[in-house]
């Protein structure tokens, strides 16, 4: 009997150790309640369990849970490092109704990127340390982050979520990635620290109140955050995609701030190329046209 009991204890310990290892190594980017293929408007409860609502006398920005103690958001959401008066809501679905799956925390530390520029919007990224750890559920879970070197080429579908400035129910929209060259044709100031997404015809975009929220893509069974809502020319205008902070450029910075229980970084790879539209005269040398066509969308106009 004693031998049996000892064996049972050992097996129980092994199972518990295995469970802890598996849960820890595979926890990010899982959304068991998200079964969608194409987009809608209202997000179903639990579809985006990392979505955060940052509040101070009401919702003002979004964010994403990246482990049980840290939230990722945009630097332009904070003009101070004073944490007084800020609350982070997780598991929230409705800004006006009840949220039975919700947890809230105050903020103990605000760490924005030291090279953030309010003029150029470069390095528009910030970390928020919560006052205490949250408990993961089907409605509250961390997102994976795109690792250094990840590629998100033109046409790859990503999703952006948020409440904006008017919606009560969490909103979602699917958007194609726009390559940096093509995006820079519109803005003229896109850096390697940025990533763009939107339709050339407009009509779909993130907007005011979505700032700091996540842009995510799916790889296998995991959702990986590619961007942080940053800025744009208006909202959903033709030929002006939304611009996001490119998460993969900040792996070293994030890990330098979060030194224990670090977020899950995933190497995201996508097919496609990074292009830009160029309009040419009919008199252009065809050898130049052949060369440009390898890198750009080329159109010959009268």
């Amino acid at each position: 009997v004693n031998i049996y009991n000892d064996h049972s204890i050992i097996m129980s310990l092994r199972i518990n150790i295995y469970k802890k290892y598996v849960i820890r190594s595979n926890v990010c980017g899982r959304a068991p309640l998200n079964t969608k293929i194409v987009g809608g408007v209202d997000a179903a409860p639990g579809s985006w369990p990392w979505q955060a609502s940052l509040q101070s006398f009401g919702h003002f920005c979004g964010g994403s849970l990246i482990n049980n103690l840290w939230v990722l958001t945009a630097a332009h959401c904070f003009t101070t490092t004073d944490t007084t008066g800020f609350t982070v809501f997780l598991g929230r679905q409705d800004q006006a109704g009840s949220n039975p799956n919700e947890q809230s925390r105050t903020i103990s530390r605000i760490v924005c990127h030291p090279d953030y520029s309010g003029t150029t919007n470069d390095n528009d990224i910030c970390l928020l340390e919560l006052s205490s750890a949250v408990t993961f559920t089907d409605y509250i879970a961390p997102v994976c982050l795109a690792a250094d070197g990840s590629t998100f080429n033109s046409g790859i579908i990503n999703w952006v979520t948020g409440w904006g400035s008017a919606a009560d129910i969490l909103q979602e929209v699917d958007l194609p990635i726009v390559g940096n060259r093509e995006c820079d044709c519109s803005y003229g100031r896109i850096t390697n620290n940025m990533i763009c997404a939107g339709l050339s015809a407009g009509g779909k975009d993130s907007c005011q109140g979505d700032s700091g929220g996540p842009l995510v893509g799916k790889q296998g069974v995991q959702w990986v955050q590619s961007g942080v809502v940053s800025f744009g020319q208006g909202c959903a205008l033709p030929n002006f995609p939304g611009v996001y902070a490119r998460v993969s450029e900040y792996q070293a910075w994030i890990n330098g701030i979060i030194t224990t229980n670090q977020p899950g970084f995933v190497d995201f790879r996508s097919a496609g190329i990074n292009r830009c539209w160029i309009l040419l005269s009919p008199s252009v040398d065809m050898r130049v046209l052949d060369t440009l066509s390898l890198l750009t969308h080329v159109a010959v106009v009268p």
Side-chain angles (χ1 to χ4, degrees):
V1 175
N2 289 337
I3 294 175
Y4 175 79
N5 286 339
D6 289 345
H7 177 73
S8 298
I9 292 170
I10 292 170
M11 289 300 295
S12 178
L13 287 172
R14 286 178 176 173
I15 290 170
N16 287 334
I17 291 170
Y18 173 78
K19 283 181 177 179
K20 287 179 181 178
Y21 172 79
V22 170
I23 290 170
R24 185 174 298 166
S25 62
N26 294 290
V27 70
C28 77
R30 308 290 175 135
L33 302 181
N34 187 328
T35 58
K36 69 178 40 53
I37 299 173
V38 296
V41 179
D42 289 355
S47 294
W48 313 104
W50 40 83
Q51 178 73 47
S53 172
L54 312 186
Q55 303 213 5
S56 178
F57 302 102
H59 172 86
F60 69 92
C61 270
S64 54
L65 187 68
I66 58 175
N67 69 9
N68 63 352
L69 201 58
W70 288 87
V71 165
L72 184 66
T73 188
H76 78 261
C77 290
F78 291 90
T79 58
T80 178
T81 56
D82 183 358
T83 61
T84 305
F86 295 112
T87 304
V88 177
F89 291 89
L90 295 155
R92 171 165 285 214
Q93 172 73 7
D94 190 343
Q95 296 287 8
S98 63
N99 292 279
N101 305 301
E102 182 177 271
Q103 297 177 41
S104 65
R105 297 291 187 274
T106 55
I107 299 173
S108 64
R109 186 161 49 133
I110 300 170
V111 187
C112 293
H113 198 282
D115 296 326
Y116 166 64
S117 168
T119 303
T120 65
N121 300 111
D122 205 17
N123 301 302
D124 191 7
I125 197 164
C126 194
L127 288 167
L128 309 177
E129 185 176 13
L130 304 179
S131 56
S132 62
V134 297
T135 302
F136 295 157
T137 68
D138 282 349
Y139 300 89
I140 299 174
V143 67
C144 298
L145 301 179
D148 183 31
S150 293
T151 59
F152 294 85
N153 287 320
S154 296
I156 298 300
I157 297 299
N158 273 209
W159 292 79
V160 63
T161 50
W163 288 272
S165 59
D168 288 333
I169 304 297
L170 180 65
Q171 302 292 293
E172 62 187 20
V173 64
D174 58 321
L175 297 169
I177 294 295
V178 176
N180 275 27
R181 289 192 184 97
E182 185 175 348
C183 192
D184 199 49
C185 289
S186 298
Y187 288 99
R189 58 189 176 100
I190 301 302
T191 74
N192 291 334
N193 298 322
M194 301 172 185
I195 186 171
C196 304
L199 299 171
S200 59
K204 288 184 176 184
D205 200 1
S206 54
C207 205
Q208 284 82 13
D210 294 323
S211 291
L215 177 72
V216 299
K218 197 172 187 182
Q219 181 167 262
V221 297
Q222 289 179 303
W223 289 91
V224 181
Q225 184 170 353
S226 55
V228 176
V229 178
S230 181
F231 72 96
Q233 181 67 38
C235 297
L237 296 179
N239 300 315
F240 282 98
V243 185
Y244 305 75
R246 185 180 289 263
V247 171
S248 60
E249 291 296 307
Y250 298 98
Q251 181 173 358
W253 178 74
I254 291 171
N255 282 340
I257 303 298
I258 306 174
T259 56
T260 59
N261 189 24
Q262 292 178 322
F265 283 90
V266 172
D267 185 25
F268 192 102
R269 295 291 167 178
S270 64
I273 50 181
N274 191 359
R275 292 180 162 180
C276 174
W277 278 101
I278 292 181
L279 302 180
L280 299 175
S281 164
S283 61
V284 68
D285 189 316
M286 291 306 295
R287 290 171 296 179
V288 175
L289 182 61
D290 289 341
T291 301
L292 286 173
S293 66
L294 296 176
L295 298 174
T296 62
H297 298 294
V298 178
V300 178
V301 297

